[in-house]
Amino acid sequence: MAAKQAVLLFSLILALGFIPLLVFSAQAIPFERLESLRVVKKVNKNGPFLGLITVYAPEEEAFFKTGVFRPDPRHPFVDLSGRRFRIGKVEGKKVIYVKCGVGLVNAAAATQQMLDLFDIKGIIHFGISGNANGSMQIGDVTIPGQLAQTGLWDWLKPNATMEPNDFAQFDFKSYNDPKGGENHLGKVGYSTEQFYSVAGEVNVPQRPVWFNITNNWLHVASHLQGVKLDQCANSTLCLPEKPKLVVGLKGATSNFFIDNAAYTQFLFKTFGVTSLDMESSAVVMTCLSNGYPVIAIRGLSDLAGTQKGDNTIRLFGSLAALNTAKVVIGFVKSLPINHVSRF
């Protein structure tokens, strides 16, 4: 009897000891987040979903302007960490859409959050970008086959030796005007990322320069060449040629809005890139790191400084965003994924 009482007493002490821990754990997570996570759990019962990630308001407005997004009547959205994840359908496929915000950190954070919390089959990233390729024009849409992160720099002295992980060099003195003389800005070495992934050795980073779009998704995209793209931003502002979709080029991402002809020409000559943006490689790297299919779709809104006068993003940004949305819709429609309708 005494032994039984001792066991009961010990159990009571343990229970009382754990109660503060449970209270602390509940208090550590804000109530709003707990509610959001409950909704996420309900949403995932209707998965899996395609993830759609764009960047900022004009791209979001163009996407919803098409009218193809059909919100889930039961759970149309869930708010997490200040972002609104919208649940619905596009062309009969179940999707979760989010606007990530400008820059590499926002793009990676939103992508990782989507992959961690939702039942996702793969991610389609889209938005507008600058154009470094003279054979492309404003209004065209590019689906790159490869992306590089060109914003990880080693900023060196003028005569310094390149770092071992630097794969390209930008020498400021080459752009002195008039030519000749030293430039104390020195040079920049483009460094490779430390890339961790499920396909690599645990805790050992790879150092790739290029990150490849999921091959079978790129193959699906290659059959979208006939998608009809708009030529006019409004009744009085039109492009000289009808825009086109090109699949399989290269793109570059960095935390710079590039509006400088010399630098744009350097990027094209050195890396052979067409699209210049601030998010794509972060989304692609995050998906590949976790082992998920991914594709990036970018509409060319400006010439990244190679134009005469002001940047044209304010004139043609909305047109580029709308053409991008049209390609996204065409890709979702063509993607052979079985999404059974429940709403």
Side-chain angles (χ1 to χ4, degrees), residues 65 138-139 229-241 243 301 312-323:
K65 185 179 178 180
I138 293 171
L229 303 178
D230 287 5
Q231 189 171 350
C232 298
N234 53 50
S235 59
T236 60
L237 183 62
C238 294
L239 296 166
E241 298 177 23
S301 60
T312 56
I313 190 172
R314 292 174 182 82
L315 293 175
F316 293 108
S318 59
L319 174 63
L322 181 59
N323 282 344

Side-chain angles (χ1 to χ4, degrees), residues 325-342:
K326 288 186 173 185
V327 174
V328 170
I329 294 163
F331 179 76
V332 172
K333 185 177 181 178
S334 300
L335 201 58
I337 296 180
N338 296 322
H339 281 257
V340 179
S341 174
R342 293 186 189 175

Side-chain angles (χ1 to χ4, degrees), residues 6 45 91 120 135 146 274 320 342:
K45 291 179 180 178
E91 294 290 352
I120 298 294
S135 68
Q146 292 182 306
T274 294
R342 293 186 189 175

Side-chain angles (χ1 to χ4, degrees), residues 36-274:
S36 295
L37 292 176
R38 289 190 186 99
V39 176
V40 168
K41 186 176 181 181
K42 294 177 182 177
V43 166
N44 283 337
K45 291 179 180 178
N46 197 37
F49 299 86
L50 286 171
L52 302 181
I53 299 178
T54 194
V55 182
Y56 77 140
E59 297 157 345
E60 180 173 80
E61 290 165 6
F63 174 67
F64 286 115
K65 185 179 178 180
T66 64
V68 298
F69 182 82
R70 178 187 166 201
D72 183 337
R74 291 171 297 176
H75 303 295
F77 64 86
V78 56
D79 294 337
L80 289 160
S81 306
R83 294 186 179 91
R84 176 155 290 183
F85 291 79
R86 300 178 187 270
I87 299 95
K89 278 187 176 184
V90 172
E91 294 290 352
K93 308 287 176 57
K94 290 176 284 188
V95 302
I96 294 179
Y97 162 91
V98 71
K99 177 179 65 178
C100 67
V102 175
L104 291 163
V105 173
N106 277 323
T111 304
Q112 190 65 60
Q113 189 170 37
M114 182 176 277
L115 295 178
D116 283 344
L117 294 180
F118 294 99
D119 183 6
I120 298 294
K121 293 207 74 171
I123 285 183
I124 303 164
H125 171 60
F126 63 99
I128 62 176
S129 70
N131 174 32
N133 186 342
S135 68
M136 301 283 282
Q137 70 158 359
I138 293 171
D140 289 348
V141 178
T142 175
I143 301 179
Q146 292 182 306
L147 285 153
Q149 209 281 63
T150 54
L152 192 62
W153 290 0
D154 292 313
W155 201 317
L156 309 172
K157 294 179 179 179
N159 299 315
T161 303
M162 290 275 288
E163 294 294 320
N165 290 314
D166 291 348
F167 60 95
Q169 175 180 298
F170 178 70
D171 197 340
F172 288 98
K173 69 181 179 182
S174 300
Y175 293 85
N176 283 356
D177 190 16
K179 293 185 179 296
E182 288 296 320
N183 188 318
H184 294 290
L185 286 173
K187 57 190 176 184
V188 163
Y190 288 81
S191 184
T192 52
E193 287 270 10
Q194 290 191 344
F195 178 62
Y196 295 86
S197 78
V198 294
E201 188 177 346
V202 174
N203 217 35
V204 178
Q206 300 166 301
R207 305 297 299 244
V209 176
W210 296 101
F211 295 90
N212 296 321
I213 297 300
T214 303
N215 190 55
N216 60 336
W217 279 22
L218 205 62
H219 178 73
V220 172
S222 68
H223 292 87
L224 299 175
Q225 305 285 0
V227 64
K228 292 183 179 180
L229 303 178
D230 287 5
Q231 189 171 350
C232 298
N234 53 50
S235 59
T236 60
L237 183 62
C238 294
L239 296 166
E241 298 177 23
K242 194 161 185 65
K244 60 185 179 295
L245 167 65
V246 180
V247 179
L249 300 176
K250 293 182 178 180
T253 302
S254 65
N255 270 329
F256 312 128
F257 178 83
I258 300 172
D259 191 28
N260 181 279
Y263 188 57
T264 295
Q265 290 162 1
F266 162 79
L267 289 173
F268 180 71
K269 181 180 178 181
T270 305
F271 301 103
V273 294
T274 294

